[in-house]
Amino acid sequence: MAVQDQQFLWNVFSKVDKDRSGAISADELQQALSNGTWTPFNPETVRLMIGMFDRDQSGNINFQEFGALWKYITDWQNTFRSYDRDNSGSIDQRELQTAITSFGYRLSERFFSILIRKFDRQGKGTIAFDDFIQCCITLQTLTNAFKAYDTNRNGWIEISYEQFLHLVFSLKA
């Protein structure tokens, strides 16, 4: 990474680290992020992202971890904007279906309406940026858990009720 990129990241990190602890807490990250709706960034999405990038398991993001988190959020912003075809600042069901399908998923229209209901915190029939990230992380986490049981790679699994409960309760999403 170039020196000026490191300096830029340090400047951003320093602004987010409000208490000057040398690490970014979930609260600091939530306050620093914008979902474009003038509402607080989804705390569950923040928790998921902290968990993904907190390599030393401190519960916070240090500067070394921040670079990867910054790239991750920037990549999600670019992805979100590319599927927000009408530039509304949110993703409707049609845009969500286009995005998720382009990621390689083949799901029914009915399922996309379930995703909208599940991740639409504002009740507008659309998904904001932060909820889009959470939706995609959750879908990927569930897919990975399913694949662990889909030994034939045919899209079907047979598990007991206890295996199902174990699968659900052991998820990090």
Side-chain angles (χ1 to χ4, degrees):
M1 184 179 289
V3 174
Q4 70 188 123
D5 291 341
Q6 281 286 90
Q7 187 58 50
F8 171 78
L9 274 179
W10 179 254
N11 290 341
V12 173
F13 181 85
S14 298
K15 286 180 181 153
V16 176
D17 181 19
K18 297 278 188 210
D19 66 0
R20 301 288 178 250
S21 65
I24 296 172
S25 68
D27 287 342
E28 288 171 326
L29 184 60
Q30 182 185 17
Q31 290 170 15
L33 294 173
S34 169
N35 62 14
T37 63
W38 301 102
T39 59
F41 209 84
N42 185 334
E44 182 61 18
T45 305
V46 171
R47 185 191 68 75
L48 286 170
M49 291 189 307
I50 293 272
M52 290 170 66
F53 292 95
D54 179 19
R55 301 289 180 231
D56 63 4
Q57 304 298 309
S58 67
N60 296 309
I61 298 294
N62 63 34
F63 181 66
Q64 287 71 33
E65 296 163 337
F66 182 70
L69 174 63
W70 179 262
K71 181 181 180 335
Y72 184 79
I73 293 170
T74 303
D75 289 347
W76 273 117
Q77 274 183 321
N78 293 334
T79 300
F80 181 83
R81 287 181 183 138
S82 73
Y83 291 106
D84 179 16
R85 302 270 190 235
D86 60 2
N87 294 316
S88 64
S90 62
I91 300 258
D92 63 24
Q93 183 172 330
R94 189 185 79 258
E95 292 165 331
L96 179 65
Q97 189 166 352
T98 301
I100 300 295
T101 301
S102 76
F103 300 160
Y105 293 94
R106 302 291 173 256
L107 304 165
S108 70
E109 202 159 311
R110 182 171 174 255
F111 184 75
F112 285 105
S113 66
I114 291 169
L115 284 178
I116 291 287
R117 282 195 309 275
K118 170 79 176 150
F119 294 99
D120 172 19
R121 288 187 305 140
Q122 298 181 13
K124 295 180 179 179
T126 60
I127 298 177
F129 173 59
D130 51 346
D131 299 319
F132 177 71
I133 295 173
Q134 184 184 358
C135 175
C136 293
I137 291 171
T138 302
L139 192 56
Q140 183 61 49
T141 302
L142 291 170
T143 299
N144 291 342
F146 182 91
K147 283 181 178 178
Y149 287 91
D150 186 12
T151 54
N152 296 332
R153 299 291 180 245
N154 64 0
W156 290 89
I157 62 173
E158 188 173 321
I159 58 175
S160 70
Y161 180 62
E162 188 171 335
Q163 286 173 310
F164 169 74
L165 290 175
H166 183 274
L167 174 101
V168 170
F169 288 117
S170 64
L171 291 177
K172 296 258 187 206

